[in-house]
Amino acid sequence: MEHITVIGAGPLGRATTRTLVETGHQVTVATRSGTQLPGAQAARADVVTGDGLEGLAPSAAIVACCNFTYTVAGWRHAWPLAIENLIRLAERQDATLVVAGNLYSYARGVMPMRATDPLDPPSALGEVRADVTRRLFQAHEQGRIRAVEVRGSSYLGAGAGTGSYAGSRIVGPLLAKGRAGIIGSADSPHTWTAISDFGRLLARAATDPGMTGRAWHVPSAPARSVRELARLLFQAAGIGGEPGLRVIPAPVMRLLGWFSPVMRAIGQTSYQMEAPFICDDTDTRDLLGETHTPLEETLAGMVAAAAWDVKAAA
């Protein structure tokens, strides 16, 4: 049994903590507000300012599931400070540092994306994440820390929330009204990563020394278009008919971006939904023996969670 610190209590932090607790580890969840998760200790700490980090109990591993305001300015401010504070914390504690990553740093249009591909970010947000990756593995190569990055695609699952494109932005409206506004194409294949699978691989990275020194892709279900995803969601929910998908025109996205920094950031990454966006997870399957949760099972869990939310609110 090891003590592991999870930074962040969003969907990935919760999934990682759940896996670690279920496998018998002692877990401290560190957030700015001191969020309490089942089976874990709570601590207050801010990875951007560094406040509270020195008071965290020594850990065998630190799993960074943190995220910040989804704007270019927000990421440019927060992420460089956060990764440096996390590296220093891991160095002081002689802990493995595991960072939850995404696919923003890969070149646009080069498919499928592999964990060994060079970093060639096509957006400002991708540049920020590429900088985080470079700093992380530079510290590893210098012998300061043991580093791992676990990268997933657009995630989905119960509790995906507003931070996920396939969370409340699409699945919520589809279940409530049978229709949803989308960006990009309704018919381009896209890799969707189950939150539970993401959390499971982050937890393994915290406890498996053989994973250090490189990035790994979370095993994900075969790529499906938004239209296919919506149809499977309807099947899981027992809803008849065809899902109503309305593509938000690019000029409207640009206009919204003038007034909303968040929409401007979303517009920067909309290329991921306009053409095939496919993740290759072969290394993780072949070298680690990991696999994915069936997409139908993940969607059924989302339907069940949505029904519970409605029942609880009644």
Side-chain angles (χ1 to χ4, degrees):
M1 180 188 296
E2 296 179 308
H3 179 252
I4 297 169
T5 298
V6 175
I7 308 290
L12 294 183
R14 291 172 182 272
T16 304
T17 298
R18 186 182 309 115
T19 300
L20 289 169
V21 169
E22 288 175 351
T23 50
H25 297 285
Q26 294 180 333
V27 183
T28 294
V29 177
T31 64
R32 291 192 299 270
S33 59
T35 302
Q36 180 73 60
L37 296 185
Q41 296 294 315
R44 293 179 182 270
D46 188 325
V47 293
V48 176
T49 65
D51 292 344
L53 293 181
E54 290 190 1
L56 294 176
S59 301
I62 298 158
V63 186
C65 298
C66 46
N67 211 341
F68 308 103
T69 303
Y70 196 76
T71 65
V72 173
W75 278 27
R76 281 177 172 165
H77 166 71
W79 267 115
L81 296 170
I83 192 60
E84 289 301 326
N85 281 330
L86 287 165
I87 289 170
R88 284 192 288 268
L89 176 62
E91 188 174 18
R92 285 198 303 270
Q93 296 194 355
D94 188 27
T96 299
L97 177 55
V98 182
V99 174
N102 56 33
L103 309 180
Y104 287 24
S105 298
Y106 296 124
R108 179 174 180 173
V110 179
M111 298 295 140
M113 296 168 282
R114 299 178 176 86
T116 52
D117 285 350
L119 305 181
D120 185 14
S123 71
L125 293 172
E127 289 170 1
V128 172
R129 287 308 312 232
D131 178 60
V132 168
T133 297
R134 293 187 185 103
R135 294 182 191 223
L136 175 70
F137 287 115
Q138 182 180 51
H140 177 91
E141 291 162 6
Q142 292 170 345
R144 295 173 59 194
I145 62 170
R146 300 175 298 279
V148 190
E149 187 171 20
V150 175
R151 301 172 186 160
S153 191
S154 306
Y155 57 76
L156 74 165
T162 58
S164 167
Y165 180 63
S168 58
R169 296 176 188 167
I170 293 182
V171 171
L174 282 171
L175 290 176
K177 303 177 181 178
R179 59 185 184 277
I182 66 171
I183 58 176
S185 168
D187 297 301
S188 289
H190 189 93
T191 295
W192 308 94
T193 299
I195 293 172
S196 58
D197 294 337
F198 211 146
R200 188 174 67 252
L201 194 62
L202 285 166
R204 175 168 177 176
T207 58
D208 184 350
M211 290 180 64
T212 60
R214 59 163 292 175
W216 300 88
H217 284 170
V218 181
S220 302
R224 300 272 194 160
S225 69
V226 174
R227 193 183 309 280
E228 291 173 318
L229 187 75
R231 287 170 176 164
L232 288 172
L233 180 70
F234 269 29
Q235 291 177 21
I239 300 173
E242 183 72 8
L245 300 175
R246 177 179 59 84
V247 177
I248 301 173
V252 173
M253 288 291 297
R254 287 193 292 270
L255 179 62
L256 292 172
W258 278 101
F259 301 100
S260 167
V262 173
M263 291 305 297
R264 190 154 58 246
I266 291 173
Q268 275 203 9
T269 57
S270 61
Y271 70 90
Q272 298 176 8
M273 307 305 302
E274 294 167 353
F277 193 73
I278 302 172
C279 176
D280 185 321
D281 53 31
T282 304
D283 277 3
T284 311
R285 294 176 187 273
D286 290 352
L287 300 178
L288 301 180
E290 295 283 350
T291 188
H292 68 278
T293 300
L295 183 57
E296 293 79 2
E297 182 178 327
T298 301
L299 292 173
M302 297 182 78
V303 170
W308 174 257
D309 288 343
V310 171
K311 181 180 178 181

